[in-house]
């Protein structure tokens, strides 16, 4: 249905990119950490449904179960363009297993989806970073409670000096592997920073589109007592069940709706730009300037 109008739009610059999905527990204590683990599984299922390859690159376990934070790599062309709509605050409402009174608790987690760039070229520099701009620190990997989990300095922390972005990685067995993964995440964050900057510049006058890129915005609520998931960018008419979305199929439906919404807004922007009133107004300004 959208094939002919979409031909008016430039092709996506990111449609071949894989993705990194970063999840971080927010308010809600252990319940929030448990939901990080559940969303991690959800995105893994969604990736496999689309024939992409999901791999957990890093995770920090919580004492009460689940994860304080986690990074999921999703390898496959189109993964970033699909998952990019998942950036934002996810809210879950349900009765925890430890809640004797049956009271519903509200917890949140934050998701950030980054474009997965290729690894650093052998010449040591590219358009995203220069090695001399990165401070590399090595240390012993630490486990729960801060104790050292090995006797070698295998953990790596990178600091990109121009931006202050830091990446720590300790889940791999060797320092070399952790360093490679850390640079992968750093480059993804830098590419994302560039994309967000370009998007803000192109769409400064389109408030609705700027709002969809705000990662502090609550984008979705998972209401377990009522067995419904509401995406607040789409409204109440686009609800799915909790089971459907956690299995990955319902997520596919929501992402398709968000893509269509974005397409319609982008097409409207093109139509507004080339509408007769706009063309006449532009021509009048040119004529006035020449006088």
């Amino acid at each position: 249905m959208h094939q002919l109008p979409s031909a008016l739009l430039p092709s996506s610059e990111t449609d071949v990119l894989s993705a990194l999905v970063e999840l971080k527990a927010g308010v809600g204590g252990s319940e929030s950490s448990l939901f990080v683990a559940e969303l991690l599984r959800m995105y893994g299922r969604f990736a496999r449904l689309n024939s992409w390859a999901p791999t957990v690159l890093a995770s920090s376990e919580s004492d009460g179960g689940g994860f304080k934070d986690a990074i999921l790599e999703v390898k496959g062309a189109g993964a970033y363009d699909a998952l990019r709509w998942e950036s934002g605050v996810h809210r879950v409402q349900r009765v925890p297993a430890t809640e004797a009174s049956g009271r519903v608790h509200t917890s949140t987690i934050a998701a950030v989806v980054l474009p997965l760039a290729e690894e650093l070229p052998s010449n040591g520099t590219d358009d995203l970073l220069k090695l001399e701009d990165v401070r590399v620190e090595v240390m012993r990997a630490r486990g729960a409670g801060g104790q050292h989990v090995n006797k070698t300095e295998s953990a790596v922390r990178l600091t990109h000096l121009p931006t202050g972005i830091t990446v720590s990685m300790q889940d791999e067995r060797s320092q070399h592997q952790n360093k490679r993964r850390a640079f992968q995440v750093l480059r993804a964050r830098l590419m994302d920073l560039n994309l967000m900057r370009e998007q803000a510049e192109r769409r400064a006058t389109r408030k609705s589109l700027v709002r969809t890129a705000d990662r502090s915005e609550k984008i979705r609520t998972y209401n377990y007592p009522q067995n419904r998931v509401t995406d607040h960018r789409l409204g109440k008419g686009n609800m799915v069940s909790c089971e459907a979305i956690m299995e990955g199929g319902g997520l596919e439906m929501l992402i398709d709706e968000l893509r269509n919404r974005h397409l319609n807004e982008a097409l409207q922007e093109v139509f507004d730009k080339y509408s007769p009133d706009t063309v006449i107004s532009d021509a009048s300004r040119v004529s006035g300037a020449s006088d």
Side-chain angles (χ1 to χ4, degrees), residues 184-285:
Q184 185 182 36
V185 174
L186 175 60
R187 295 187 73 253
R189 290 180 181 174
L190 289 172
M191 177 179 281
D192 178 68
L193 190 65
N194 289 344
L195 288 173
M196 291 300 102
R197 186 183 298 118
E198 291 171 4
Q199 183 184 69
E201 290 172 354
R202 289 196 307 265
R203 299 171 177 172
T205 59
R206 306 255 326 155
K207 293 183 180 179
S208 63
L209 291 179
V210 171
R211 187 171 65 251
T212 61
D214 183 0
R215 288 166 178 171
S216 65
E217 181 182 14
K218 180 184 67 180
I219 63 168
R220 191 175 295 148
T221 295
Y222 304 73
N223 187 316
Y224 276 81
Q226 299 180 16
N227 191 25
R228 70 183 186 199
V229 177
T230 303
D231 195 294
H232 302 288
R233 297 162 294 183
L234 297 173
K236 294 183 178 180
N238 289 274
M239 294 182 293
V240 297
S241 70
C242 294
E243 291 89 345
I245 198 167
M246 299 310 289
E247 291 301 319
L251 181 60
E252 184 90 48
M253 185 191 76
L254 289 181
I255 286 177
D256 284 344
E257 289 292 330
L258 289 164
R259 279 172 155 172
N260 290 337
R261 175 176 175 266
H262 170 70
L263 175 63
N264 290 333
E265 289 177 331
L267 285 171
Q268 186 61 52
E269 189 175 2
V270 171
F271 294 149
D272 290 346
K273 182 177 179 180
Y274 293 104
S275 67
D277 291 342
T278 303
V279 172
I280 292 172
S281 176
D282 291 343
S284 298
R285 284 197 295 270

Side-chain angles (χ1 to χ4, degrees), residues 22-27 32-33 36 67-70 108-112 189:
E22 296 188 347
L23 303 173
K24 188 177 292 291
V27 299
S32 179
S33 297
V36 168
F67 300 106
K68 297 176 184 177
D69 51 68
T108 63
I109 72 126
V112 175
R189 290 180 181 174

Side-chain angles (χ1 to χ4, degrees), residues 90-192:
H90 297 242
R91 183 176 68 171
V92 59
Q93 296 173 318
R94 62 185 177 186
V95 179
T98 56
E99 177 57 63
S101 66
R103 184 168 61 92
V104 175
H105 288 228
T106 298
S107 308
T108 63
I109 72 126
V112 175
V113 180
L114 307 173
L116 182 58
E118 296 300 323
E119 295 190 18
L120 193 66
S122 58
N123 61 10
T125 185
D126 65 3
D127 58 340
L128 289 174
L129 61 84
K130 298 178 181 179
L131 287 182
E132 57 263 33
D133 289 337
V134 181
R135 183 172 66 238
V136 181
E137 300 170 89
V138 296
M139 61 207 76
R140 293 182 185 179
R142 294 179 179 272
Q147 72 270 23
H148 293 297
V149 296
N150 60 34
K151 296 182 179 180
T152 61
E153 293 186 333
S154 61
V156 174
R157 180 168 61 214
L158 305 180
T159 303
H160 186 245
L161 301 176
T163 61
I165 294 174
T166 62
V167 177
S168 298
M169 194 69 62
Q170 68 171 29
D171 285 37
E172 301 290 348
R173 292 178 179 271
S174 72
Q175 182 187 125
H176 173 74
Q177 291 172 317
N178 282 320
K179 185 176 180 181
R180 181 175 63 84
R181 289 297 195 188
F183 266 106
Q184 185 182 36
V185 174
L186 175 60
R187 295 187 73 253
R189 290 180 181 174
L190 289 172
M191 177 179 281
D192 178 68

